[in-house]
Amino acid sequence: MRLPGRHRTLLLALALCALLGLGCPLSCEVCRGPGHTCSGRMKTCEADKDACVVLVGEASSKGRKSLTTFKACMKFKDCYSGFVSTTMTPGDYMVSNAHCCQTDGCNSGSVPPPLNNRTENGLTCPSCLAPFHETCPGTQTARCVGPETHCIYFAGNVQAGIINTKFAMRGCATPSACHTQPGAEVPSAYYLYFLRRADCDRALYPLGRGE
Ligand SMILES: *[C@@H]1O[C@H](CO)[C@@H](O)[C@H](O)[C@H]1NC(C)=O
């Protein structure tokens, strides 16, 4: 069988790592860009990253909205396939849809952009958004929208490009946000979050103090 040199080398490497009983490294497409999809180069994942993710997210920061796609390697246990919505204030929210998979290049396609239902559902959560801080008091109130029925308190570090800083945030979220565990490394459309704290509780109706 005649194969181009690059393919022959790849096949040989895969045959060898299978033969030696080593975990063969996964390859994923890696990119970040505006819009419904992005395309980039294939990358061999670090040994502890056993999944590829494709995530499309709509974020609003102080009322400025944008749609971004993100593709990368990540840990399968930290990866959630599906829809996540979080709301801190009416102008600060994120909705995303993601697909996690575990074969080479399986994230090269796209996922449908998330539905963004901004209709208030009557539930509320303590709210705050504190970049550069480890905790935040939640003295404001977030009004939950669409399918958001839970309150989150996430804190840790956030990586934005070359900047890595502490952050804390509290607000409303879909139950799917409760899959996130402390220690997880989770992407949003723009940032990579390293979570030290990931609390998640049922939201209360407006008259309760969601604590
Ligand atoms: C949007 O959310 C509201 C409140 O939860 C709900 O009543 C409504 O059915 C949702 N609309 C759609 C199109 O999902």
Side-chain angles (χ1 to χ4, degrees), residues 12-97:
L12 193 64
L14 287 176
L16 263 180
C17 71
L19 199 66
L20 298 177
L22 305 171
C24 301
L26 185 68
S27 301
C28 302
E29 188 179 11
V30 174
C31 58
R32 185 192 295 278
H36 294 69
T37 192
C38 64
S39 68
R41 67 192 174 86
M42 290 286 287
K43 185 193 158 195
T44 303
C45 300
E46 291 100 320
D48 62 337
K49 300 202 169 158
D50 54 353
C52 300
V53 65
V54 46
L55 179 146
V56 55
E58 184 178 328
S60 171
S61 175
K62 299 191 174 80
R64 278 191 17 235
K65 285 200 281 182
S66 48
L67 189 77
T68 302
T69 298
F70 173 75
K71 296 182 181 182
C73 302
M74 69 180 286
K75 291 181 189 169
F76 189 68
K77 72 172 174 63
D78 292 348
C79 199
Y80 177 76
S81 286
F83 173 73
V84 178
S85 172
T86 57
T87 299
M88 271 58 73
T89 74
D92 295 281
Y93 64 81
M94 279 185 289
V95 288
S96 62
N97 195 20

Side-chain angles (χ1 to χ4, degrees), residues 34-190:
H36 294 69
T37 192
C38 64
S39 68
R41 67 192 174 86
M42 290 286 287
K43 185 193 158 195
T44 303
C45 300
E46 291 100 320
D48 62 337
K49 300 202 169 158
D50 54 353
C52 300
V53 65
V54 46
L55 179 146
V56 55
E58 184 178 328
S60 171
S61 175
K62 299 191 174 80
R64 278 191 17 235
K65 285 200 281 182
S66 48
L67 189 77
T68 302
T69 298
F70 173 75
K71 296 182 181 182
C73 302
M74 69 180 286
K75 291 181 189 169
F76 189 68
K77 72 172 174 63
D78 292 348
C79 199
Y80 177 76
S81 286
F83 173 73
V84 178
S85 172
T86 57
T87 299
M88 271 58 73
T89 74
D92 295 281
Y93 64 81
M94 279 185 289
V95 288
S96 62
N97 195 20
H99 174 66
C100 314
C101 54
Q102 293 192 283
T103 57
D104 288 337
C106 60
N107 66 339
S108 62
S110 55
V111 288
L115 294 176
N116 188 7
N117 182 348
R118 307 306 306 164
T119 308
E120 290 178 10
N121 63 21
L123 300 170
T124 63
C125 289
S127 155
C128 51
L129 193 54
F132 316 117
H133 289 83
E134 248 164 80
T135 58
C136 69
T139 42
Q140 283 149 292
T141 300
R143 294 164 174 275
C144 304
V145 300
E148 295 173 347
T149 54
H150 283 64
C151 299
I152 51 162
Y153 187 167
F154 283 1
N157 272 62
V158 57
Q159 174 111 33
I162 56 163
I163 299 166
N164 188 317
T165 179
K166 290 184 181 125
F167 83 96
M169 65 184 204
R170 302 174 71 166
C172 302
T174 45
S176 52
C178 304
H179 287 273
T180 307
Q181 296 296 319
E185 195 179 309
V186 293
S188 72
Y190 296 93

